[in-house]
Amino acid sequence: MLAKRIIPCLDVDKGVVVKGVSFRNLRYAGDPPTLAALYEEQGADEIVFLDVTASPEHRETMVDIAKRTAEQLSIPFTIGGGIRNLEGIRRMLFSGADKVSINTAAVKNPKLIEEASKVFGSQCIVVAIDAKRVYEEVEDKTVVETKQGRCWWEVYIYGARQPTGLDAVQWAKKVEELGAGEILLTSIDFDGTKAGYDIELTRTVSEAVNIPVIASGGAGGPEHIYRALVDGKADAALAASIFHFGEYTVMDIKKYLAERGVVVRL
């Protein structure tokens, strides 16, 4: 059985790590290279670096800070935010990334996923899906019964600012067909709330595809991560607030999971 991964996320704005709620009201959380090194020391399996305002501001990822962060790491490192084309992907990989995360560019030009996976290999291409609940019965959408009612999930782009009309579950299947090696799945509704992941969303997407799914949005403690990996069937769990503000270490989470039978690297 493959080990489940714990992945701290560095949401970066203007060169510093920030964290908000549902992608809004960002507050300072630290220095990217410093935090990345700390989380590797704590036992993180990977680090994700997302320039969260790059797409909304129509600019490229800050290469210099991404490169300085990569230099601190020996574990896999994913960079995302503002990457629009093959050249942008190449630049990030040359800057030290092992994987590149694309969202807005993938929605606007799905062929980019196919081209990138052929040029750089599927293992390098992560498609980020930011999804928000829509409580409507729509025939051509994947409607699911949740505790809050029947809903489907709409894909958003430009840092969760612009709805697309795309069904997140159908889009996940499509990106797998196009060659994506992994999906970074974030619940806009649950992001930063520390109320737990959107388990219904995570499970529905995880069951719909055969590539790894990283659950993101809502981690408030070890039990939430356990539920995302077990009930949500995710291959990895991404978290930010609980690590940035010193509530838990990565190893705290891993020990909790191991004690409950989840396979993790200790």
Side-chain angles (χ1 to χ4, degrees):
M1 181 181 295
L2 291 176
K4 301 288 189 177
R5 292 168 289 149
I6 304 302
I7 306 175
C9 181
L10 308 178
D11 291 328
V12 179
D13 180 26
K14 298 178 179 62
V16 300
V17 177
V18 295
K19 189 57 194 167
V21 177
S22 297
F23 292 75
R24 300 293 187 273
N25 302 318
L26 304 178
R27 60 176 174 141
Y28 175 77
D31 172 64
T34 302
L35 287 177
L38 172 64
Y39 297 145
E40 176 169 4
E41 185 178 327
Q42 290 180 2
D45 296 294
E46 302 182 18
I47 298 290
V48 168
F49 175 112
L50 300 176
D51 190 331
V52 294
T53 54
S55 287
E57 294 175 0
H58 301 280
R59 62 172 174 79
E60 295 184 345
T61 303
M62 293 184 174
V63 176
D64 56 338
I65 190 71
K67 187 174 182 179
R68 286 200 294 114
T69 304
E71 289 170 350
Q72 300 298 314
L73 298 171
S74 59
I75 57 177
F77 183 45
T78 300
I79 298 178
I83 299 168
R84 300 180 180 86
N85 48 42
L86 292 178
E87 182 54 37
I89 293 172
R90 182 177 289 107
R91 188 179 300 114
M92 289 302 104
L93 294 174
F94 285 164
S95 296
D98 300 282
K99 308 176 191 177
V100 168
S101 172
I102 53 176
N103 179 358
T104 301
V107 170
K108 296 174 78 68
N109 176 24
K111 191 175 180 180
L112 176 62
I113 304 170
E114 185 175 21
E115 293 173 344
S117 64
K118 288 179 179 177
V119 173
F120 304 107
S122 291
Q123 77 283 351
C124 291
I125 307 304
V126 179
V127 172
I129 300 177
D130 297 335
K132 187 176 178 64
R133 291 185 175 209
V134 180
Y135 292 96
E136 293 178 355
E137 292 279 350
V138 184
E139 286 188 6
D140 64 343
K141 308 300 183 186
T142 308
V143 178
V144 174
E145 187 72 54
T146 73
K147 293 179 181 178
Q148 292 76 26
R150 291 177 64 78
C151 72
W152 61 280
W153 290 272
E154 184 173 13
V155 175
Y156 275 63
I157 56 175
Y158 291 118
R161 289 166 171 80
Q162 181 177 310
T164 65
L166 283 174
D167 178 301
V169 181
Q170 296 171 12
W171 177 234
K173 294 178 181 178
K174 183 64 175 178
V175 304
E176 179 182 19
E177 291 175 9
L178 290 169
E182 196 163 27
I183 291 171
L184 172 54
L185 180 66
T186 301
S187 165
I188 297 171
D189 303 287
F190 288 63
D191 177 72
T193 65
K194 298 169 70 175
Y197 296 84
D198 188 335
I199 299 300
E200 291 92 351
L201 168 64
T202 305
R203 180 172 56 244
T204 303
V205 172
S206 295
E207 290 177 344
V209 299
N210 295 306
I211 56 177
V213 173
I214 304 170
S216 171
E223 182 182 354
H224 293 155
I225 292 177
Y226 174 86
R227 287 203 62 217
L229 298 174
V230 177
D231 299 341
K233 302 184 179 180
D235 299 273
L238 180 144
S241 300
I242 61 172
F243 297 139
H244 298 339
F245 303 115
E247 297 170 50
Y248 298 94
T249 68
V250 176
M251 193 52 64
D252 289 338
I253 302 297
K254 286 191 166 187
K255 287 180 179 178
Y256 178 95
L257 295 172
E259 288 168 358
R260 286 154 183 79
V262 178
V263 178
V264 291
R265 298 183 186 89
L266 294 172

